[in-house]
Amino acid sequence: MSQTTGADARHGSFPGEVKDAVTPRATLLVLGVIALQLLFIASYVGALHDPEPKDVPFGVVAPPAAAGQAVARLERLPGSPLDPRPVAGEERARKQIMDREIDGALITDPAGNRDTLLVASGGGTVLATTLERIVTELEKAEERTVRTVDVAPASPQDFDGLSSFYLVVGWCVGGYLCASILAISTGARPANPRRAAIRLIVMALVSAVGGLGGAVIIGPVLGALPGSVAALWGLGALVTFAVGAATLALQGVFGIVGIGLAILLVVIAGNPSAGGAFPLPMLPPFWKAIGPALPPGAGTWAARSIAYFEGNAATGALLVLSAWALAGVVITMLAAALRRKRREAELPTQVT
């Protein structure tokens, strides 16, 4: 008969416990954390270390005879920073900028040597500044000057146009943290459809409160963003619920590993590709492609549309967020139903 030594008792351990302390499951989870850590570094540094404009949608307003030459001149710029296209008049150019079809426009003056550059710093201060630099250098080389007009200026309290991004990041964090707490409080997977439904209802209530709180803080309290508080509230509730429902779905399918997958999608892939620090046209191709399809990117685009572009061009982003929310609800409930069915199928075997 084995006896517990005094040292074992004092340290609260028993023979054999040290051997079992690091289980295969714990090892896999630790390796998963290391993988997320390295992916975080690779994603953020890869997306943001060397921002360069590439094929920025850009309008050119010029007399018909000169429009083709002006477009061709911009297309020949080294590195293809602009994707120029002729636009019929300044009013049309302004409208396309407000509709977020283009990010800027050059209005040439055939009777003089001073042209006008239209930008929209509300869509990203860094991008507006970059367009101004590119056009200024080009005009200077041709012994012309240019004046810049900001069609949709960012708020003075919205430094570098980052407030929309950080607002959406806060909503996303609330979504996956709340979902994670709801799931792990009584196990990593929904035990049954009833519990899954309760979690989704709680998630919806939390989303409504968090959406309103974020909209009030960013608007009336701090004055960082203009735009409708009600519209931002609705957006915040949708962003939070979309991320929360997706996290519950991943946890329902993969268990606790689903939390890591949610972080992978939202934080590691979603944040650097959201167009926050640098707008989408300045990101490398991979991040530029995935950004609009992920909640942080869709949310940031919609928030800027609400704040600075009269809500224009927000429909696509709202549909993306709605798709995440709907998929999260369906998969969460389906995973719970299948889990209950498996348990019911196992019961006769266990009784036998």
Side-chain angles (χ1 to χ4, degrees), residues 167 171 209-219 232:
L167 173 65
W171 283 330
V209 174
L212 176 60
V216 170
I217 290 172
I218 205 75
L232 288 173

Side-chain angles (χ1 to χ4, degrees), residues 151 200 271 329:
V151 176
L200 287 168
N271 286 353
V329 170

